[in-house]
Coordinates of all heavy atoms in Angstrom, one line a residue:
F959 N 2.9 -16.0 33.6 CA 4.2 -15.3 33.8 C 5.2 -16.3 34.4 O 5.8 -16.1 35.5 CB 4.0 -14.2 34.8 CG 3.4 -13.0 34.2 CD1 2.4 -12.3 34.8 CD2 4.0 -12.5 33.1 CE1 1.9 -11.1 34.2 CE2 3.5 -11.3 32.5 CZ 2.4 -10.7 33.1
N960 N 5.6 -17.3 33.7 CA 6.6 -18.3 34.1 C 7.9 -17.6 34.2 O 8.7 -18.0 35.1 CB 6.7 -19.5 33.2 CG 5.4 -20.3 33.2 OD1 4.8 -20.3 34.2 ND2 5.1 -21.0 32.1
R961 N 8.3 -16.7 33.4 CA 9.6 -16.1 33.4 C 9.6 -14.7 34.1 O 10.6 -14.0 34.1 CB 10.1 -15.9 32.0 CG 10.2 -17.3 31.3 CD 10.9 -17.2 30.0 NE 10.8 -18.5 29.4 CZ 11.8 -19.2 28.9 NH1 13.0 -18.7 29.1 NH2 11.7 -20.3 28.4
K962 N 8.4 -14.3 34.5 CA 8.3 -13.0 35.3 C 8.8 -11.8 34.5 O 9.6 -11.0 35.0 CB 9.0 -13.1 36.6 CG 8.5 -14.3 37.4 CD 8.4 -14.1 38.9 CE 8.0 -15.2 39.7 NZ 7.4 -16.3 39.2
R963 N 8.4 -11.6 33.3 CA 8.7 -10.5 32.5 C 7.5 -10.1 31.6 O 6.6 -11.0 31.4 CB 9.9 -10.7 31.7 CG 9.8 -11.8 30.7 CD 11.1 -12.0 29.9 NE 11.0 -13.1 29.0 CZ 12.0 -13.8 28.7 NH1 13.2 -13.5 29.0 NH2 11.9 -14.9 27.9
L964 N 7.4 -8.9 31.1 CA 6.3 -8.5 30.3 C 6.3 -9.1 28.9 O 7.4 -9.5 28.4 CB 6.4 -6.9 30.1 CG 6.2 -6.1 31.4 CD1 6.5 -4.6 31.1 CD2 4.8 -6.3 32.0
Y965 N 5.2 -9.3 28.4 CA 5.1 -9.8 27.0 C 5.7 -8.8 26.0 O 5.6 -7.6 26.2 CB 3.6 -10.1 26.6 CG 3.0 -11.2 27.4 CD1 2.1 -10.9 28.4 CD2 3.3 -12.5 27.2 CE1 1.5 -11.9 29.1 CE2 2.7 -13.5 27.9 CZ 1.8 -13.2 28.9 OH 1.2 -14.2 29.6
R966 N 6.3 -9.3 25.0 CA 7.0 -8.5 24.0 C 6.3 -8.6 22.6 O 6.0 -9.8 22.2 CB 8.4 -8.9 23.9 CG 9.3 -7.9 23.2 CD 10.7 -8.2 23.4 NE 11.1 -9.4 22.7 CZ 12.2 -10.0 22.8 NH1 13.2 -9.5 23.5 NH2 12.5 -11.1 22.1
L967 N 6.0 -7.5 21.9 CA 5.4 -7.5 20.6 C 6.5 -7.1 19.6 O 7.4 -6.4 19.9 CB 4.3 -6.5 20.6 CG 3.2 -6.7 21.6 CD1 2.2 -5.5 21.5 CD2 2.5 -8.0 21.4
E968 N 6.2 -7.4 18.3 CA 7.1 -6.9 17.2 C 6.2 -6.9 16.0 O 5.2 -7.5 15.9 CB 8.3 -7.8 17.0 CG 7.9 -9.3 16.6 CD 9.2 -10.1 16.5 OE1 10.1 -9.7 15.7 OE2 9.2 -11.2 17.1
F969 N 6.7 -6.1 15.0 CA 6.0 -6.0 13.7 C 6.2 -7.3 12.8 O 7.3 -8.0 13.0 CB 6.5 -4.8 12.9 CG 6.1 -3.5 13.5 CD1 7.0 -2.8 14.2 CD2 4.8 -3.0 13.3 CE1 6.6 -1.6 14.8 CE2 4.4 -1.8 13.8 CZ 5.3 -1.1 14.6
Y970 N 5.3 -7.6 11.9 CA 5.5 -8.6 11.0 C 6.7 -8.2 10.0 O 6.8 -7.0 9.7 CB 4.3 -8.8 10.1 CG 3.2 -9.7 10.6 CD1 2.1 -9.2 11.2 CD2 3.4 -11.1 10.6 CE1 1.1 -10.0 11.7 CE2 2.4 -11.9 11.1 CZ 1.2 -11.4 11.6 OH 0.3 -12.2 12.1
P971 N 7.5 -9.1 9.5 CA 8.5 -8.8 8.5 C 7.8 -8.4 7.2 O 6.7 -8.9 6.9 CB 9.3 -10.0 8.3 CG 8.7 -11.1 9.2 CD 7.6 -10.5 9.9
D972 N 8.4 -7.5 6.5 CA 7.8 -7.1 5.2 C 7.6 -8.2 4.2 O 6.7 -8.2 3.4 CB 8.7 -6.0 4.5 CG 8.7 -4.7 5.2 OD1 7.8 -4.4 5.9 OD2 9.7 -3.9 5.0
S973 N 8.4 -9.3 4.3 CA 8.3 -10.4 3.4 C 7.1 -11.3 3.7 O 6.8 -12.1 2.9 CB 9.6 -11.2 3.5 OG 9.8 -11.7 4.8
D974 N 6.5 -11.1 4.9 CA 5.3 -11.9 5.3 C 4.1 -11.5 4.5 O 3.8 -10.3 4.4 CB 5.1 -11.8 6.8 CG 4.1 -12.8 7.3 OD1 3.0 -12.8 6.7 OD2 4.4 -13.5 8.2
P975 N 3.4 -12.5 3.9 CA 2.2 -12.1 3.1 C 1.1 -11.4 3.9 O 0.3 -10.7 3.3 CB 1.8 -13.4 2.4 CG 2.5 -14.5 3.1 CD 3.7 -13.9 3.8
D976 N 1.1 -11.6 5.2 CA 0.1 -11.0 6.0 C 0.5 -9.7 6.6 O -0.3 -9.0 7.3 CB -0.3 -11.9 7.2 CG -0.9 -13.2 6.7 OD1 -1.7 -13.2 5.7 OD2 -0.7 -14.3 7.4
A977 N 1.6 -9.2 6.2 CA 2.1 -7.9 6.8 C 1.3 -6.7 6.3 O 1.0 -5.8 7.0 CB 3.6 -7.7 6.4
Y978 N 0.9 -6.8 5.0 CA 0.0 -5.7 4.4 C -1.2 -6.3 3.9 O -1.1 -7.2 3.0 CB 0.8 -5.0 3.3 CG 2.1 -4.3 3.8 CD1 3.3 -5.0 3.7 CD2 2.0 -3.1 4.4 CE1 4.5 -4.4 4.1 CE2 3.2 -2.5 4.9 CZ 4.4 -3.2 4.7 OH 5.6 -2.6 5.2
G979 N -2.3 -5.9 4.3 CA -3.6 -6.4 3.8 C -4.8 -6.0 4.6 O -4.7 -5.0 5.4
F980 N -5.9 -6.6 4.4 CA -7.1 -6.3 5.1 C -7.1 -6.7 6.6 O -6.6 -7.8 6.9 CB -8.3 -6.9 4.4 CG -9.6 -6.6 5.1 CD1 -10.2 -5.4 4.9 CD2 -10.2 -7.6 5.9 CE1 -11.4 -5.1 5.6 CE2 -11.4 -7.3 6.5 CZ -12.0 -6.0 6.3
L981 N -7.6 -5.8 7.4 CA -7.7 -6.1 8.8 C -9.1 -5.9 9.2 O -9.7 -4.8 9.1 CB -6.8 -5.1 9.7 CG -6.8 -5.4 11.2 CD1 -6.2 -6.7 11.5 CD2 -5.9 -4.3 11.8
S982 N -9.7 -7.0 9.7 CA -11.1 -7.0 10.0 C -11.3 -6.1 11.3 O -10.6 -6.3 12.3 CB -11.7 -8.4 10.3 OG -12.9 -8.3 10.8
P983 N -12.3 -5.2 11.3 CA -12.6 -4.4 12.5 C -12.9 -5.3 13.7 O -12.7 -4.8 14.8 CB -13.7 -3.5 12.1 CG -13.7 -3.5 10.6 CD -13.1 -4.8 10.2
D984 N -13.4 -6.5 13.5 CA -13.8 -7.4 14.6 C -12.5 -7.9 15.3 O -12.6 -8.4 16.4 CB -14.6 -8.5 14.1 CG -16.0 -8.1 13.6 OD1 -16.5 -7.1 14.1 OD2 -16.5 -8.8 12.8
E985 N -11.4 -7.8 14.7 CA -10.1 -8.3 15.3 C -9.2 -7.2 15.8 O -8.1 -7.5 16.2 CB -9.4 -9.1 14.2 CG -10.2 -10.3 13.7 CD -9.5 -11.1 12.6 OE1 -8.4 -10.7 12.2 OE2 -10.1 -12.1 12.2
V986 N -9.7 -6.0 15.9 CA -8.9 -4.9 16.3 C -9.0 -4.7 17.8 O -10.1 -4.7 18.4 CB -9.3 -3.6 15.6 CG1 -8.5 -2.4 16.1 CG2 -9.0 -3.7 14.1
I987 N -7.9 -4.6 18.5 CA -7.9 -4.2 19.9 C -8.1 -2.7 20.0 O -7.4 -1.9 19.4 CB -6.5 -4.6 20.6 CG1 -6.4 -6.1 20.5 CG2 -6.5 -4.1 22.0 CD1 -5.0 -6.6 21.0
R988 N -9.1 -2.3 20.8 CA -9.5 -0.9 20.8 C -8.5 0.0 21.7 O -8.4 1.1 21.4 CB -10.9 -0.8 21.4 CG -11.9 -1.5 20.5 CD -12.3 -0.8 19.3 NE -13.4 -1.5 18.6 CZ -13.3 -1.9 17.4 NH1 -12.2 -1.8 16.7 NH2 -14.3 -2.5 16.8
G989 N -7.9 -0.6 22.6 CA -7.0 0.1 23.5 C -6.0 -0.8 24.2 O -6.3 -1.8 24.6
A990 N -4.7 -0.3 24.2 CA -3.7 -1.0 24.9 C -2.6 -0.1 25.3 O -2.4 1.0 24.6 CB -3.1 -2.2 24.0
H991 N -1.8 -0.4 26.3 CA -0.7 0.4 26.7 C 0.6 -0.4 26.4 O 0.8 -1.4 27.0 CB -0.8 0.8 28.2 CG 0.2 1.8 28.6 ND1 1.3 1.5 29.3 CD2 0.4 3.1 28.3 CE1 2.0 2.5 29.5 NE2 1.5 3.5 28.9
I992 N 1.3 0.1 25.4 CA 2.6 -0.6 25.0 C 3.7 0.4 25.2 O 3.6 1.6 25.0 CB 2.5 -1.1 23.6 CG1 2.3 0.0 22.5 CG2 1.5 -2.2 23.4 CD1 2.4 -0.5 21.1
V993 N 4.9 -0.1 25.6 CA 6.0 0.7 25.9 C 7.2 0.3 25.0 O 7.5 -0.9 24.9 CB 6.4 0.5 27.4 CG1 7.6 1.3 27.8 CG2 5.3 0.8 28.3
P994 N 7.8 1.2 24.3 CA 9.0 0.8 23.5 C 10.1 0.1 24.3 O 10.4 0.5 25.4 CB 9.5 2.1 22.9 CG 8.3 3.1 23.0 CD 7.6 2.6 24.2
A995 N 10.6 -0.9 23.7 CA 11.8 -1.6 24.3 C 13.0 -1.0 23.7 O 13.6 -1.5 22.7 CB 11.7 -3.1 24.0
F996 N 13.5 0.2 24.3 CA 14.5 1.0 23.7 C 15.8 0.2 23.5 O 16.6 0.5 22.6 CB 14.8 2.2 24.5 CG 13.6 3.1 24.6 CD1 12.9 3.2 25.8 CD2 13.2 3.9 23.6 CE1 11.8 4.1 25.9 CE2 12.1 4.7 23.6 CZ 11.4 4.8 24.8
Q997 N 16.2 -0.7 24.4 CA 17.4 -1.4 24.3 C 17.6 -2.2 23.1 O 18.8 -2.6 22.7 CB 17.7 -2.2 25.6 CG 16.8 -3.5 25.7 CD 15.5 -3.3 26.4 OE1 15.0 -2.2 26.5 NE2 14.9 -4.3 26.9
Y998 N 16.6 -2.6 22.4 CA 16.7 -3.4 21.1 C 16.9 -2.5 19.9 O 17.1 -3.0 18.8 CB 15.5 -4.3 21.0 CG 15.4 -5.3 22.0 CD1 14.5 -5.2 23.1 CD2 16.3 -6.4 22.0 CE1 14.4 -6.2 24.1 CE2 16.2 -7.4 23.0 CZ 15.3 -7.2 24.1 OH 15.2 -8.2 25.1
G999 N 16.7 -1.2 20.0 CA 16.9 -0.3 18.9 C 15.7 -0.1 18.0 O 14.6 -0.6 18.3
A1000 N 15.9 0.6 16.9 CA 14.8 1.0 16.0 C 14.7 0.1 14.8 O 15.6 -0.6 14.5 CB 15.0 2.5 15.6
T1001 N 13.5 0.2 14.2 CA 13.3 -0.6 12.9 C 14.0 0.1 11.8 O 14.3 1.3 11.8 CB 11.8 -0.7 12.6 OG1 11.3 0.6 12.4 CG2 11.1 -1.5 13.7
E1002 N 14.3 -0.6 10.7 CA 14.8 -0.1 9.5 C 13.6 0.4 8.7 O 12.5 -0.2 8.7 CB 15.5 -1.1 8.7 CG 16.8 -1.6 9.3 CD 17.8 -0.4 9.4 OE1 17.9 0.3 8.4 OE2 18.5 -0.3 10.4
P1003 N 13.7 1.5 8.0 CA 12.5 2.0 7.2 C 12.2 1.0 6.1 O 13.1 0.4 5.5 CB 13.0 3.3 6.5 CG 14.2 3.7 7.3 CD 14.8 2.5 7.9
S1004 N 10.9 0.8 5.9 CA 10.4 -0.2 4.8 C 10.1 0.6 3.6 O 9.4 1.5 3.6 CB 9.2 -0.9 5.4 OG 8.6 -1.6 4.3
P1005 N 10.6 0.1 2.4 CA 10.2 0.7 1.2 C 8.8 0.5 0.8 O 8.2 1.2 0.0 CB 11.2 0.1 0.1 CG 11.6 -1.2 0.8 CD 11.6 -1.0 2.3
L1006 N 8.1 -0.5 1.4 CA 6.7 -0.8 1.1 C 5.7 0.0 2.0 O 4.6 0.0 1.7 CB 6.5 -2.3 1.4 CG 7.3 -3.3 0.6 CD1 7.1 -4.7 1.1 CD2 7.1 -3.2 -0.9
S1007 N 6.2 0.7 3.0 CA 5.3 1.4 3.9 C 4.8 2.7 3.3 O 5.5 3.4 2.7 CB 6.1 1.7 5.2 OG 5.2 2.5 6.0
L1008 N 3.5 2.9 3.5 CA 2.9 4.1 3.0 C 2.7 5.1 4.2 O 2.3 6.2 4.0 CB 1.6 3.9 2.4 CG 1.6 2.9 1.1 CD1 0.2 2.6 0.7 CD2 2.4 3.6 0.0
A1009 N 3.0 4.6 5.4 CA 2.8 5.4 6.6 C 3.8 6.5 6.8 O 3.4 7.5 7.4 CB 2.7 4.5 7.8
C1010 N 5.0 6.3 6.4 CA 6.0 7.4 6.7 C 7.1 7.3 5.6 O 7.3 6.4 4.9 CB 6.7 7.2 8.1 SG 7.5 5.6 8.3
N1011 N 7.9 8.4 5.5 CA 9.0 8.5 4.6 C 10.2 7.7 5.1 O 10.3 7.5 6.3 CB 9.4 10.0 4.4 CG 8.2 10.8 3.7 OD1 7.5 10.3 2.9 ND2 8.1 12.0 4.1
N1012 N 11.1 7.4 4.2 CA 12.3 6.6 4.6 C 13.2 7.4 5.6 O 14.0 6.8 6.3 CB 13.1 6.2 3.4 CG 12.4 5.0 2.7 OD1 11.6 4.4 3.2 ND2 12.9 4.8 1.5
D1013 N 13.1 8.7 5.6 CA 14.0 9.5 6.5 C 13.3 9.8 7.8 O 13.9 10.4 8.7 CB 14.3 10.9 5.8 CG 13.1 11.7 5.5 OD1 12.0 11.2 5.5 OD2 13.3 12.9 5.2
E1014 N 12.1 9.3 8.1 CA 11.4 9.4 9.3 C 11.7 8.2 10.2 O 11.8 7.1 9.8 CB 9.9 9.6 9.1 CG 9.5 10.9 8.4 CD 8.0 11.0 8.2 OE1 7.3 10.0 8.5 OE2 7.6 12.0 7.7
F1015 N 11.8 8.5 11.5 CA 12.0 7.4 12.5 C 10.8 7.4 13.4 O 10.5 8.4 14.1 CB 13.3 7.7 13.3 CG 13.3 6.8 14.5 CD1 13.6 5.5 14.4 CD2 13.1 7.4 15.7 CE1 13.6 4.7 15.6 CE2 13.2 6.7 16.9 CZ 13.4 5.3 16.8
D1016 N 10.0 6.3 13.5 CA 8.9 6.3 14.3 C 8.7 5.0 15.1 O 8.0 4.9 16.1 CB 7.6 6.4 13.5 CG 7.3 7.8 13.0 OD1 7.9 8.7 13.6 OD2 6.6 8.0 12.1
D1017 N 9.4 3.9 14.7 CA 9.1 2.6 15.3 C 10.3 1.9 15.9 O 11.4 2.1 15.4 CB 8.5 1.7 14.2 CG 7.2 2.1 13.7 OD1 6.4 2.6 14.5 OD2 7.0 2.1 12.4
W1018 N 10.0 1.1 16.9 CA 11.1 0.4 17.6 C 10.9 -1.1 17.2 O 9.9 -1.5 16.8 CB 10.9 0.6 19.1 CG 11.1 2.0 19.5 CD1 10.2 2.9 19.6 CD2 12.4 2.7 19.7 NE1 10.7 4.1 20.0 CE2 12.1 4.0 20.0 CE3 13.7 2.3 19.7 CZ2 13.1 4.9 20.3 CZ3 14.7 3.2 20.0 CH2 14.4 4.5 20.3
L1019 N 12.0 -1.9 17.4 CA 11.9 -3.3 17.0 C 10.9 -4.0 17.9 O 10.2 -4.9 17.4 CB 13.3 -3.9 17.2 CG 14.3 -3.6 16.1 CD1 15.7 -4.2 16.5 CD2 13.9 -4.2 14.8
Y1020 N 10.9 -3.7 19.2 CA 10.0 -4.4 20.1 C 9.3 -3.4 21.0 O 9.8 -2.3 21.2 CB 10.8 -5.4 21.0 CG 11.5 -6.5 20.2 CD1 12.8 -6.4 20.0 CD2 10.8 -7.6 19.7 CE1 13.5 -7.4 19.3 CE2 11.4 -8.6 19.0 CZ 12.8 -8.5 18.8 OH 13.4 -9.5 18.1
Y1021 N 8.1 -3.9 21.4 CA 7.3 -3.1 22.4 C 6.9 -4.1 23.5 O 6.7 -5.3 23.3 CB 6.1 -2.6 21.8 CG 6.3 -1.5 20.8 CD1 6.6 -1.7 19.5 CD2 6.3 -0.1 21.2 CE1 6.9 -0.7 18.6 CE2 6.6 0.9 20.3 CZ 6.9 0.6 19.0 OH 7.1 1.6 18.1
Y1022 N 6.8 -3.6 24.8 CA 6.3 -4.4 25.9 C 4.9 -4.0 26.1 O 4.5 -2.9 26.0 CB 7.1 -4.1 27.2 CG 8.5 -4.5 27.1 CD1 9.6 -3.6 27.2 CD2 8.8 -5.9 27.0 CE1 10.9 -4.0 27.2 CE2 10.2 -6.3 27.0 CZ 11.2 -5.4 27.1 OH 12.5 -5.8 27.1
V1023 N 4.1 -5.1 26.4 CA 2.7 -4.9 26.8 C 2.7 -4.6 28.3 O 3.1 -5.4 29.1 CB 1.8 -6.1 26.5 CG1 0.4 -5.9 26.9 CG2 1.9 -6.5 25.0
D1024 N 2.2 -3.4 28.6 CA 2.2 -2.9 30.0 C 0.9 -3.5 30.7 O -0.2 -3.3 30.1 CB 2.2 -1.4 30.1 CG 2.5 -0.9 31.5 OD1 2.9 -1.7 32.3 OD2 2.3 0.3 31.7
M1025 N 1.0 -4.1 31.8 CA -0.1 -4.7 32.5 C -0.2 -4.1 33.9 O 0.7 -3.9 34.6 CB 0.0 -6.2 32.6 CG 0.0 -6.9 31.3 SD -0.1 -8.6 31.6 CE 0.4 -9.2 30.0

């Protein structure tokens, strides 16, 4: 904590080849508490996503890892 702030997470860009693919169950974090960083705004809907429709809003640009 050199800068005395929480760690920040974000989604991979759609253009990244690792954004969509196989995720090994051995590499999955089973539980975490993350908090949306509301001040950065929401993500743009991805045409590649199968998780939600383009008119749905579910994700934020960044999340903080709560410790």
Side-chain angles (χ1 to χ4, degrees):
F959 279 134
N960 291 334
R961 299 186 189 238
K962 305 215 181 347
R963 60 181 175 208
L964 296 173
Y965 293 106
R966 193 170 67 188
L967 305 174
E968 63 182 307
F969 290 102
Y970 275 104
D972 288 341
S973 58
D974 191 304
D976 294 327
Y978 300 96
F980 178 76
L981 183 62
S982 171
D984 293 334
E985 297 176 0
V986 174
I987 296 173
R988 302 281 185 240
H991 188 251
I992 57 174
V993 180
F996 298 111
Q997 71 270 23
Y998 295 104
T1001 60
E1002 293 294 321
S1004 170
L1006 302 174
S1007 177
L1008 300 174
C1010 63
N1011 297 326
N1012 285 344
D1013 60 345
E1014 293 178 353
F1015 164 75
D1016 284 340
D1017 296 319
W1018 298 93
L1019 284 174
Y1020 298 104
Y1021 291 87
Y1022 292 118
V1023 179
D1024 195 13
M1025 296 188 197

